[in-house]
């Protein structure tokens, strides 16, 4: 028996693998441990895929909030039904008269808060049915535009009709839709030719392991060194520290009275009414116990807070484990 901690693994998904394929392959090498992933990549896309191990599956919703960076090839002059290179070309238009200045102006206009209409070939559900199923049935379903944010977009290289873009964006952003929308704005049409996810939150492609490397490190018993702990994965959340008695109650899902909090870190002094926020709950040794929800209207003045308690949303350890590693049998 070897031991692996709960955590997040940075996997390099290669072309032609689905995200589910990656999970299934690695699950086949492990027994008695939950596996999942945060942030699906299309089969043709490559790059960072966060793999969640053990109780890491319990924090998926928080990791999905991470921003992402992509390197995308945009092909102008062709519109496809899938908005990427896997689809059928619907229209071809010339790009000869397109100037570099015009291209740069249009691309720059997509930086900041924008609205996107989800593509038909996507997993977004309308009326409980994934859009891709409707698309395969030949149906065009009305979709509502969604608010996303492009934090940064830059032109890496340009050799028309091919343009390489590096995009840093919020969750829910479709890069192929971005390429199609830029093409539409230029009047040439366009689609996404290829996509590499270079970063998801703190996970970068340069440090990602291929499936083969994951399997090799499992066999050697060295994979644990490559895992991001749950606490490291939740680095963006504020923290409160509690004493031993409160910690025991936290492990049973009991709320934390703010009067029992020994210390705060990264917590705003005033949480507006109608706003709640996730918070890490740790014991005096700095061990992550749970994720809580700070109540709306919480006010912290001089290190003290109001009477509203912090609700416990996710307990991440048990009385027995107290943050220790979990045993998993690894299939050789």
């Amino acid at each position: 028996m070897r031991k692996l901690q709960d955590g997040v693994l940075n996997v390099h998904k290669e072309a032609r693998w689905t995200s589910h394929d990656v999970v299934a392959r690695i699950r086949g090498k492990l027994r008695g441990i939950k596996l999942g992933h945060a942030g699906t990549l299309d089969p043709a896309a490559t790059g960072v895929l966060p793999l969640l191990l053990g109780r890491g599956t319990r924090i998926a919703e928080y990791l999905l909030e991470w921003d992402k960076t992509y390197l995308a090839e945009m092909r102008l002059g062709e519109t496809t039904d899938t908005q990427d290179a896997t689809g059928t070309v619907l229209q071809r238009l010339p790009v000869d008269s397109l100037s570099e200045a015009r291209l740069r102006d249009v691309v720059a206009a997509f930086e900041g808060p924008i609205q996107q209409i989800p593509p038909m070939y996507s997993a977004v559900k309308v009326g409980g049915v994934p859009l891709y199923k409707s698309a395969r049935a030949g149906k065009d379903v009305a979709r509502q535009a969604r608010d996303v944010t492009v934090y940064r977009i830059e032109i890496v290289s340009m050799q028309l009709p091919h343009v390489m873009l590096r995009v840093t964006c919020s969750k829910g952003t479709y890069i192929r839709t971005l390429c199609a929308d830029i093409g539409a704005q230029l009047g040439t049409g366009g689609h996404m030719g290829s996509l590499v996810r270079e970063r998801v939150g703190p996970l970068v492609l340069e440090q990602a392991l291929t499936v083969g490397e994951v399997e090799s490190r499992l066999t050697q018993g060295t994979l644990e060194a490559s895992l991001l702990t749950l606490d490291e994965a939740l680095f963006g959340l504020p923290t409160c520290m509690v004493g031993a008695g409160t910690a025991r109650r936290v492990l049973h899902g009991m709320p934390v009275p703010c009067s029992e909090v020994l210390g705060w870190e990264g917590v705003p002094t005033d949480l507006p009414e109608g706003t709640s926020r996730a918070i890490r709950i740790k014991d005096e040794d700095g061990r992550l116990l749970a994720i809580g929800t700070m109540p709306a209207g919480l006010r912290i003045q001089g290190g003290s807070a109001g009477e509203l308690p912090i609700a416990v949303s996710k307990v991440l350890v048990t009385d027995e484990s107290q943050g220790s590693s979990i045993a998993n049998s690894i299939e050789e």
Side-chain angles (χ1 to χ4, degrees):
M1 297 282 286
R2 302 199 185 109
K3 291 186 176 181
L4 275 180
Q5 289 184 329
D6 307 301
V8 180
L9 185 63
N10 182 4
V11 175
H12 181 179
K13 191 194 84 66
E14 298 170 274
R16 294 181 296 279
W17 286 71
T18 68
S19 300
H20 177 76
D21 288 340
V22 174
V23 173
R25 176 68 172 264
I26 296 176
R27 181 183 287 125
K29 297 293 181 179
L30 294 172
R31 297 172 182 167
I33 182 172
K34 290 183 178 179
L35 287 178
H37 64 81
T40 301
L41 271 176
D42 290 338
T46 64
V48 173
L49 178 69
L51 193 68
L52 313 178
L53 282 73
R55 293 187 182 92
T57 57
R58 304 206 69 202
I59 66 171
E61 64 188 272
Y62 305 98
L63 306 194
L64 291 173
E65 298 293 328
W66 281 345
D67 63 344
K68 304 171 179 68
T69 298
Y70 295 91
L71 182 66
E73 179 203 3
M74 178 174 63
R75 297 180 187 173
L76 298 174
E78 290 184 345
T79 301
T80 71
D81 58 351
T82 60
Q83 299 182 337
D84 64 16
T86 67
T88 301
V89 176
L90 302 177
Q91 186 180 36
R92 288 186 172 91
L93 293 170
V95 298
D96 302 340
S97 60
L98 181 62
S99 68
E100 179 178 339
R102 167 69 174 158
L103 176 59
R104 290 189 179 279
D105 285 346
V106 169
V107 168
F110 281 83
E111 192 169 277
I114 62 172
Q115 286 195 322
Q116 285 190 331
I117 296 176
M120 280 300 301
Y121 284 90
S122 69
V124 175
K125 292 183 178 180
V126 175
V129 179
L131 286 172
Y132 69 85
K133 289 189 176 181
S134 298
R136 289 172 182 169
K139 300 177 182 177
D140 189 4
V141 179
R143 292 98 71 199
Q144 288 189 336
R146 304 195 303 182
D147 295 322
V148 297
T149 302
V150 175
Y151 299 112
R152 180 174 174 80
I153 182 169
E154 59 177 315
I155 297 175
V156 177
S157 64
M158 184 188 319
Q159 190 171 358
L160 295 178
H162 306 282
V163 181
M164 294 299 297
L165 301 173
R166 178 166 282 117
V167 181
T168 298
C169 56
S170 67
K171 69 170 186 175
T173 305
Y174 282 95
I175 304 300
R176 52 196 163 107
T177 299
L178 181 65
C179 291
D181 289 347
I182 290 173
Q185 187 68 31
L186 289 168
T188 63
H191 67 274
M192 185 185 75
S194 63
L195 184 69
V196 179
R197 188 153 67 190
E198 297 183 318
R199 183 185 62 84
V200 179
L203 307 180
V204 295
L205 185 56
E206 291 77 12
Q207 298 172 357
L209 302 177
T210 65
V211 170
E213 289 170 332
V214 171
E215 292 177 333
S216 176
R217 294 190 186 194
L218 276 171
T219 301
Q220 296 167 9
T222 60
L223 185 63
E224 184 177 332
S226 302
L227 282 175
L228 204 65
T229 67
L230 303 189
D231 195 28
E232 290 169 337
L234 295 166
F235 72 99
L237 299 184
T239 303
C240 68
M241 183 176 67
V242 298
T246 305
R248 284 192 290 272
R249 294 194 295 274
V250 167
L251 297 183
H252 291 89
M254 301 295 291
V256 178
C258 287
S259 59
E260 296 183 13
V261 173
L262 303 180
W264 306 86
E265 183 178 333
V267 181
T269 57
D270 194 342
L271 202 62
E273 292 290 345
T275 302
S276 60
R277 187 175 177 185
I279 185 171
R280 287 175 287 173
I281 303 174
K282 297 185 180 183
D283 66 13
E284 292 179 270
D285 294 325
R287 292 179 295 189
L288 178 64
L289 305 174
I291 300 173
T293 302
M294 292 186 290
L298 176 69
R299 287 174 175 80
I300 299 175
Q301 302 293 339
S304 62
E307 295 302 319
L308 294 173
I310 298 171
V312 173
S313 307
K314 306 264 187 181
V315 176
L316 299 176
V317 299
T318 64
D319 288 311
E320 291 75 20
S321 68
Q322 281 291 300
S324 65
S325 60
I326 52 175
N328 300 288
S329 174
I330 298 176
E331 179 185 346
E332 302 294 351

